[in-house]
Amino acid sequence: AGPRVATRAFAVKSAADLAKPRVLQKLEIEWRYWQERGIPWSIVTRAELPRLLIGNVAWVHPFFSSNGIEDKVLALIPLFLNEIATPRQLSLAGFCSGMDKLHGLPPGSSLTLIRHLLATRKVTCDMKQVKLSGQLPLSDLKVNQRNEQRRLA
């Protein structure tokens, strides 16, 4: 069986908005809407949002689809996964620059592929703890073994 998907609804408001009667009325309507559908609903204040995680998701999300990534770059996925699984002292920028040069790719192609691998969870890291950037140590990235085992089965 695949991973279980749970639906939850959230209302994101500033703490100041929660003191306004009209906002509270609207939140009551929203709560009833989700309650009628049996979907858990919560209020979250902007201060509670994990800024680092949001920034990291914003950095990889546009690369979820492989559309726009050249086939010759996508063909390198197994090689990239193997390279990422091999311990080394490199930054993400150094690794990607080296892979671009080694494989005769236009600059940035390897970084695009890494962002795609992160967005599709073939490669993971603790996106709540590290900032995804060129300075990230390559050792912070991990190949998602469960994802690869499912693909090979």
Side-chain angles (χ1 to χ4, degrees):
R4 197 175 130 251
V5 177
T7 301
R8 294 198 49 171
F10 295 91
V12 180
K13 299 290 178 193
S14 68
D17 283 346
L18 294 177
K20 298 176 182 174
R22 181 66 183 139
V23 170
L24 294 176
Q25 289 172 338
K26 289 179 181 180
L27 288 171
E28 174 74 17
I29 294 167
E30 190 174 339
W31 173 76
R32 288 174 193 254
Y33 174 87
W34 292 114
Q35 186 181 41
E36 286 173 8
R37 283 153 183 76
I39 296 174
W41 178 82
S42 302
I43 300 172
V44 178
T45 64
R46 294 185 197 284
E48 295 174 273
L49 295 175
R51 297 282 176 216
L52 185 59
L53 176 61
I54 291 169
N56 285 337
V57 169
W59 193 71
V60 301
H61 183 266
F63 297 89
F64 183 82
S65 172
S66 62
N67 293 342
I69 302 176
E70 293 182 40
D71 289 341
K72 70 178 183 178
V73 176
L74 292 172
L76 295 172
I77 288 175
L79 174 67
F80 270 60
L81 295 176
N82 187 53
E83 291 291 323
I84 290 167
T86 305
R88 60 185 79 235
Q89 298 298 314
L90 270 177
S91 68
L92 182 57
F95 172 76
C96 290
S97 176
M99 293 299 272
D100 284 346
K101 290 175 186 160
L102 181 66
H103 296 284
L105 301 173
S109 298
S110 295
L111 183 58
T112 295
L113 185 58
I114 291 288
R115 291 168 82 176
H116 173 69
L117 294 173
L118 283 161
T120 57
R121 297 185 180 167
K122 288 180 176 72
V123 171
T124 63
C125 70
D126 188 347
M127 295 199 339
K128 292 179 181 177
Q129 298 296 319
V130 299
K131 177 171 176 35
L132 294 176
S133 71
Q135 290 74 42
L136 181 73
L138 191 62
S139 59
D140 283 355
L141 300 180
K142 306 292 180 229
V143 174
N144 185 344
Q145 296 300 328
R146 288 191 326 210
N147 192 316
E148 283 308 292
Q149 288 168 356
R150 273 197 304 267
R151 188 181 65 78
L152 296 173

